[in-house]
Every structure is written in C-alpha cells, then in structure tokens.
Amino acid sequence: MQSKDSKSPELPVPSPNFHAPNNFPPPTHRPTPSPNIPVNNRPSQSIILSPVPQPQRVSVVSPPYHFQAPSKRIHSPDDIRQFHDSESGRNFLGFIVALSESTRGRKISDPCYQSDTVNSIVSILDTLIQWIDDIPPARMASRYGNLSYRIWHAQMVENSDSLMLRFLPEDLHSATVEIVPYFTDSFGNSSRIDYGTGHETNFAAWLYCLAKLGTIKEEDYPAVVVRVFVKYLDLMRKLQLVYCLEPAGSHGVWGLDDYHFLSYIFGSSQLIDHKYLKPKSIHSQDILDNFSNEYLYLSCISFIKKVKKGPFSEHSPLLDDISGVPNWNKVNSGLLKMYKVEVLEKVPIMQHFLFGWLIKWERIGYSIRSSVFAVNTLCL
C-alpha cells in the first residue's frame, strides 16, 4: 500500500530563490530551477491535498458478453468528475496502482512469470518495431512530423484485428470491436503526427480491458510492466526518434516529460527501498550508464539527457526538483497523485478517452440528482 504521510508533500514546489554553485556535486545535489523560467505552482496545491490512489482488483466479465465499439464521452470538467466518481474510473486508476506495486523492488532483468498472453503481446510489439525498419522516414526539412509515420500507422491499424487474435481465445474474438480502438490509439495520432500521455493512457486502458477479459491476470502484472511496458517504451522511443513525433499537449519545461508519465510511476516503484540508488542519483552519469537498463526511471532520465541539450535543471526543472525528494516511496506516491490530477483530470487529454462495455460510462451524478428530486417530491 502507498504511504499516506500528509505532513510533507511528495513532490516539491519549485523555488526560484535557490541557487546552487556550478560545481555542486551530484551526491549532495539540490534542485536548481532556472530563475528566468516562470514558476507554475497552480497545480501543486491540488496534488498535495489529493489522497494517494490505492490499488484495486479488476473484476473479470462473464458471459453473456455485450462488446461494443467504444466512443468518446468526456467534454467538460463535470464529465471528468463523473468519470472519477464512477466505479470504472476508480478501478482503472486502481489497476495502474496495482501494476506499480507489482514492480516494487524488481529489476527489469529479474526473472518473472510470463504467460502465453504476455509473450504474445511482447511479440506483437516486436512486430510493430520491425515495421519501423521496413518503412524508412521520408526526407523532410521540418523538425517534427515525418509523413512516413502515417504509412506505419495505417499498417498498424489495418492489421490490428489479426494482431489481437494472436492471443484472444476463440470465445473472446468478438471483443476486438471494443479493444482494438484502445490499441490503435496507443501509438500516437496519424493526422497530427504526435504522441503524448493521452496515448500512453490508452495503452494502459487496453491492458485494463485485457484484465477485464481475464486474459491478463494478477500474476501477470510484474511481467506486464517489466516485459510488456518496457517493450512498449522501446517502440515509442523508436517511433519518436525515427518519425519525429511531436509532443502532444506538452507543458514545455514544466511538464514531467514531453511524451511519457507511467514509466516514471513504474520506475519509481522499482526503486523503493533500494539500498544505494536514491532520487538524487539521477545526477550521476555513472549510475545512469550502469543502471538505466534495469530501472525504468533511470532509463527515462538517461533518454532525456541524450535528446535534450543544456543544463538538466533548465530543460527538465520538474524532474530536477523531484530529485530532491528524500525517498522513492514519496516520489512514487506523489507521481500517482500527479498523474490523476495532471493527466486523468485534464479535459484536453481525457476528451479522447473511450468508453464501451468494458470501461463503462456511468452517469452517477444524474441518478443522485434524480433520487434527491424523487425524495423531495414525495415529501411535498
């Protein structure tokens, strides 16, 4: 279970008044946001005051099945509240927390149980990676948006049903109508040629649907992270680099990452109670060189340092601030709260989220108001 210590915030509020000397060594590093970047503290209070999300079990659906093509239902902040108050909303977030907890203290290379379903999904992602090699980027002068990505994306969409049938049992073949849209929305948008945390959330939703179907079980959770999600991250990094995908809805320097969020949640869980690696360890290049292949969080930091130029505190001030948090447990619980507030509660991101029979859209607010109206009417 996550820590509920509310005396100090899990994630620090950036302070422009602190200035570390240039030769400040990594072992005693403190966050040093650039003074010429305006500090955005607006989301901090809501993140600090929100409860730490807790893990939940996923209930498996049973026949008769009523699979349907999912559709978008979120259009306003009221719809966001509706989703988070619903059983589907709470259970989806609880599933992500359960995935996070399943990787606690695990290295990527540690042996774990791998079901046939997990192996099939990893194979599917390997297939998608191979297609990138088969479809080279077009020669273009623009920084973002290589048009060859649309060819790759169209091939992925065209073959998505057959990819699902690699692991779905025969009695669940009809589920493709519902789970395929989550899958095809997990790798970016072919019109805008961009990718962001909303697409990553769709991949988590696809995995959640597989858990609802019972094809992914709780004993699969460690492998879902250290095998499936790690392979998904490899795929997305290659897509980002080869086809120059634009960050979708990026917060600029004050975002956690241009593209990803869940990798930091899972990665911080891996490092909880590690004897030597601490949040401040991200500033040691030697540690990144030797351990980024074992821990998702360090892998993400290493990738950022390779693709971005300049001081880390300037191009990634939020991650720099987080490095000053005393332990990984606080980092993990703070990131879970931040993910809920900054991703799952944002209309521009969640307006693209899909609802069907597996992830239901529940109008709880209306039923409550109707009940109140009925009681008031009877009392007149």
Side-chain angles (χ1 to χ4, degrees):
M1 303 291 282
Q2 301 296 328
S3 169
K4 295 185 179 180
D5 180 7
S6 59
K7 293 182 181 179
S8 61
E10 286 84 354
L11 299 183
V13 176
S15 173
N17 299 320
F18 179 82
H19 300 278
N22 291 332
N23 61 349
F24 212 46
T28 54
H29 174 88
R30 298 298 299 169
T32 59
S34 176
N36 62 346
I37 300 176
V39 179
N40 179 9
N41 290 336
R42 288 185 293 107
S44 301
Q45 195 68 9
S46 59
I47 294 172
I48 291 169
L49 295 177
S50 63
V52 179
Q54 299 298 309
Q56 288 194 14
R57 290 180 176 272
V58 177
S59 58
V60 178
V61 296
S62 56
Y65 302 124
H66 302 285
F67 302 123
Q68 58 185 264
S71 59
K72 300 174 184 179
R73 305 300 294 268
I74 292 177
H75 307 287
S76 68
D78 283 341
D79 293 333
I80 290 286
R81 287 188 288 271
Q82 189 77 35
F83 173 55
H84 286 286
D85 287 341
S86 69
E87 176 61 27
S88 291
R90 293 192 300 269
N91 198 230
F92 173 59
L93 181 56
F95 168 71
I96 291 174
V97 181
L99 288 179
S100 173
E101 293 204 345
S102 75
T103 64
R104 183 167 179 162
R106 288 180 178 268
K107 299 196 298 288
I108 291 174
S109 65
D110 283 347
C112 62
Y113 169 71
Q114 291 181 234
S115 65
D116 291 340
T117 297
V118 165
N119 290 333
S120 293
I121 295 173
V122 171
S123 175
I124 288 169
L125 296 173
D126 275 328
T127 298
L128 298 182
I129 291 174
Q130 179 58 48
W131 289 351
I132 301 175
D133 296 331
D134 297 338
I135 305 171
R139 290 188 176 183
M140 296 179 61
S142 59
R143 178 185 177 188
Y144 287 117
N146 193 283
L147 296 179
S148 290
Y149 170 73
R150 291 176 176 164
I151 301 173
W152 179 92
H153 194 278
Q155 184 167 317
M156 179 270 297
V157 171
E158 182 181 353
N159 290 275
S160 56
D161 282 71
S162 61
L163 293 175
M164 299 302 102
L165 298 183
R166 286 190 188 183
F167 62 86
L168 284 177
E170 188 173 351
D171 63 321
L172 291 175
H173 282 187
S174 59
T176 55
V177 67
E178 185 154 345
I179 67 173
V180 161
Y182 292 103
F183 180 78
T184 56
D185 281 351
S186 298
F187 310 103
N189 183 278
S190 60
S191 298
R192 298 186 301 269
I193 313 184
D194 66 6
Y195 172 87
T197 52
H199 302 106
E200 182 187 54
T201 297
N202 272 324
F203 188 72
W206 178 67
L207 294 172
Y208 174 71
C209 287
L210 299 186
K212 293 284 290 181
L213 294 173
T215 55
I216 285 179
K217 301 175 173 59
E218 283 192 33
E219 57 263 33
D220 293 316
Y221 285 8
V224 166
V225 176
V226 300
R227 299 292 182 268
V228 172
F229 193 83
V230 166
K231 183 65 68 173
Y232 170 73
L233 194 60
D234 289 343
L235 166 62
M236 291 318 308
R237 283 176 179 164
K238 189 162 186 175
L239 285 171
Q240 290 154 22
L241 292 175
V242 172
Y243 298 130
C244 305
L245 303 188
E246 187 170 1
S250 171
H251 291 283
V253 296
W254 285 111
L256 184 71
D257 186 289
D258 284 342
Y259 298 104
H260 295 283
F261 203 118
L262 292 177
S263 49
Y264 293 92
I265 292 176
F266 301 150
S268 58
S269 180
Q270 284 183 283
L271 289 161
I272 289 175
D273 296 330
H274 195 285
K275 190 174 182 179
Y276 302 110
L277 301 179
K278 308 300 179 185
K280 64 186 178 184
S281 297
I282 68 167
H283 301 287
S284 168
Q285 189 59 48
D286 186 55
I287 286 177
L288 294 179
D289 290 341
N290 286 281
F291 295 98
S292 61
N293 62 326
E294 292 285 13
Y295 298 100
L296 277 167
Y297 197 100
L298 301 182
S299 173
C300 291
I301 298 297
S302 182
F303 183 75
I304 286 174
K305 288 190 172 185
K306 288 177 182 177
V307 299
K308 292 192 174 184
K309 306 299 181 183
F312 186 76
S313 61
E314 292 185 9
H315 62 64
S316 302
L318 183 52
L319 288 170
D320 188 59
D321 283 350
I322 292 172
S323 71
V325 175
N327 59 71
W328 289 110
N329 195 62
K330 279 188 172 292
V331 171
N332 182 252
S333 57
L335 288 173
L336 283 167
K337 292 160 64 171
M338 187 178 176
Y339 180 70
K340 181 176 183 291
V341 172
E342 291 297 298
V343 177
L344 299 184
E345 291 184 359
K346 288 293 184 283
V347 174
I349 296 174
M350 295 303 291
Q351 66 182 342
H352 304 292
F353 197 74
L354 300 171
F355 296 87
W357 184 65
L358 295 171
I359 304 180
K360 291 182 171 63
W361 176 249
E362 303 166 271
R363 302 299 297 184
I364 296 175
Y366 286 166
S367 62
I368 293 175
R369 284 193 288 271
S370 298
S371 299
V372 171
F373 176 78
V375 171
N376 290 339
T377 301
L378 291 173
C379 292
L380 289 177

